[in-house]
Amino acid sequence: MNLQKLADTLIPDKDLLPIERYEELYPPRRTEKGAEVTRLAPSPTGFIHLGNLYSALADERAAHTTGGIFYLRIEDTDEKRKVDGAVESVIRSLKYFGVNFDEGAEIQSPLNNYGPYYQRQRAGIYRAFAKDLIARGLAYPCFCTEEELDKVREEQTAEKLITGYYGKYAKCRNLTEEQIYANLAVGKPFVIRLKSQGDTANKMTFRDRIKGDITVTENDQDVVILKSDGIPTYHFAHAIDDHFMRTTLVIRGEEWLSSLPIHIELFKVLGFEMPAYGHTCSLMKVDGGTKRKLSKRKDPELSLDYYRKEGYYPLAVVKYLMTLLNSNFEEWSRKNPLLSYEQFPFSISKMGRSGALFDIEKLNDISKNELSLLSAQQMYDFLNGWVQEFGTETDRAHFADRAYVERILTLIMGIGGKKRRKDIERAATAVKMLDYFFDDTFAPEYSYRFDRDTVNSVLEAYCGVYDPEDDNQAWFAKVKSVAASAGFAAEMSEYKANPENFRGSVADVAEILRIAVTGSPNSPDLCTIMSIIGKDRTLTRLRVAMIK
Ligand code: GLU
């Protein structure tokens, strides 16, 4: 058969470059030895999830801890799944978590010498190489219809055979020249398939940078490389793009492991050196006692939007993911509390080989800890950012008074005290914690443990002695005096010795005041709260709180 003629007939494009030219156009990168070039290669579907961030962080760390490059390639070969604005949304979402690209689609960078970074714009490269494979007898046109392929699949399934287009099932593999041209003459649509040279009897050991040594069986499937619309399949585009974009390390989900034999063969027939691979394990969660994969349908926490809407501190999410990526990160962090996670010696080979267990409680703990390290100003900025985007009108009005909010935060966070408090988990809950400091959101639940006369006498007595100028000591002395005048023990020791002589202790008096002023029996230092909300508000609340 005249293969060159066949190649020219099937791919008649006039504007294709000779394939050697592509090597010159996209030469090996001039990075240092050991520098990793990694990429994130999402389809622009608009849904970016925690698994993507997990992978992207591994890519980014692998590149940036070795002086390499992390770039963004958009795998938009499936037009139907494309969503407008999806690329910007990937970039924005990752940026929010501090994961930045050096190069790629929609990235302004002088490094952008390996594009275009959208697969749809790379048709020429794929077609040039498909044409070359046809001319070398390593690819051929296949005219089988969907129905024919379905029939073959059913037959194979019934016979419990591996499904697919291979061996005797690869019908178009052996078409004669006449048959091919006859099909073309009647305008039958065709795809281009790889003419596999492999044999499943051959096994080899493959070193995966995450999974370690794995046994791989040679590919014998004549996979499609160009679809009938001339667009490449993932397999073909992967080999061409990762070669010409000079990726050194492909980090991708373990669902691709089963296609690895196809990729090994493609790199071989194309004459490209293979990059290294690291197949990441899936994120799992414990649900009703069993482990399962995080699911888009069942688990809102899979979506990255969830973390933004709930107001998670981005650094906390990243640090949590680091603990999942490298199990020694936690200990390193403990030993180096002042260092940034970027200084951690990240290692791809230390990544877990099987399902990483996602535990939101642990994320919450890390989040509380990270947030407790902020200054009141930093906390204000963080919360205010969230309030502006996700808060209510009322929240925004509250946050307009920066000085007031910062005073509250200083108190809530225990800044200036002996120990920082770790009560703030995320912006959505933190903003609620401020509610009682503002009249329009003060919604008390008066859950007193004493009868009306007792409560009223305490509140009445306190109104009589309250002085907003009192410092902490003077404030407490007054609470004690109120205790004594209302039949409570002013000292805890007195109360413990003879509880029957008193209505309660000074702690109970403080609780009555606390409920009156904050609406709840639990709050940070009451004296400071009174000073923050001020004299008028304090007195009004004490009066309103008396039981009628
Ligand atoms: N577009 C593929 C995906 O989203 C990329 C896989 C890869 O990283 O090679 O699954």
Side-chain angles (χ1 to χ4, degrees), residues 18-31 37-39 41 71 73 75 103 113-117 119 122 125-126 128-129 132 136 234-252 263-277:
I19 56 166
E20 316 76 62
R21 277 290 289 139
Y22 292 105
E23 288 293 334
E24 291 161 21
L25 279 174
Y26 306 110
R29 292 171 183 264
R30 272 178 292 168
T31 40
V37 178
T38 60
R39 85 299 193 271
Y71 71 88
R73 178 171 73 231
E75 309 219 319
E103 173 185 321
N113 297 323
Y114 290 85
Y117 296 93
Q119 289 184 327
R122 302 173 61 77
I125 310 185
Y126 308 126
F129 280 87
D132 179 63
R136 289 196 283 133
Y234 166 77
H235 308 304
F236 197 53
H238 154 52
I240 304 250
D241 292 348
D242 281 313
H243 175 68
F244 285 112
M245 294 183 181
R246 305 294 173 177
T247 308
T248 62
L249 172 61
V250 171
I251 298 175
R252 61 182 182 186
H263 305 150
I264 293 176
E265 182 167 16
L266 282 172
F267 274 89
K268 192 167 152 202
V269 296
L270 288 164
F272 302 157
E273 197 187 319
M274 283 196 91
Y277 286 80

Side-chain angles (χ1 to χ4, degrees), residues 97-214:
F97 293 101
V99 176
N100 295 310
F101 296 99
D102 304 306
E103 173 185 321
E106 307 306 325
I107 305 292
Q108 306 310 324
S109 163
L111 295 171
N112 282 355
N113 297 323
Y114 290 85
Y117 296 93
Y118 285 86
Q119 289 184 327
R120 288 218 150 236
Q121 296 171 17
R122 302 173 61 77
I125 310 185
Y126 308 126
R127 293 174 68 75
F129 280 87
K131 187 168 180 174
D132 179 63
L133 289 181
I134 299 168
R136 289 196 283 133
L138 291 167
Y140 63 89
C142 165
F143 300 92
C144 289
T145 61
E146 278 306 316
E147 295 71 48
E148 285 170 308
L149 295 174
D150 284 348
K151 234 180 104 217
V152 171
R153 198 172 311 120
E154 276 164 29
E155 216 179 291
Q156 290 166 330
T157 311
E159 288 177 41
K160 297 199 166 46
L161 292 170
I162 293 176
T163 55
Y165 208 78
Y166 62 94
K168 67 170 186 185
Y169 300 102
K171 267 183 21 210
C172 293
R173 191 181 166 112
N174 300 314
L175 293 183
T176 63
E177 205 162 5
E178 292 70 35
Q179 287 169 316
I180 293 175
Y181 286 104
N183 282 335
L184 292 175
V186 294
K188 272 201 184 177
F190 63 89
V191 299
I192 304 292
R193 287 184 184 272
L194 169 74
K195 191 175 226 171
S196 173
Q197 309 297 305
D199 179 346
T200 51
N202 297 334
K203 309 235 184 288
M204 60 197 135
T205 301
F206 184 89
R207 173 148 301 175
D208 186 272
R209 295 275 292 273
I210 296 174
K211 304 260 178 206
D213 281 350
I214 47 180

Side-chain angles (χ1 to χ4, degrees), residues 4 33 135 154 231 283 330 373 376 415 430 445 450 458 480 507 542 548:
Q4 189 56 56
K33 194 167 177 291
E154 276 164 29
I231 299 294
L283 295 181
E330 224 174 329
L373 303 172
I415 295 173
E445 280 180 28
F450 293 91
V458 165
K480 282 183 180 180
L542 289 168
K548 303 277 162 2

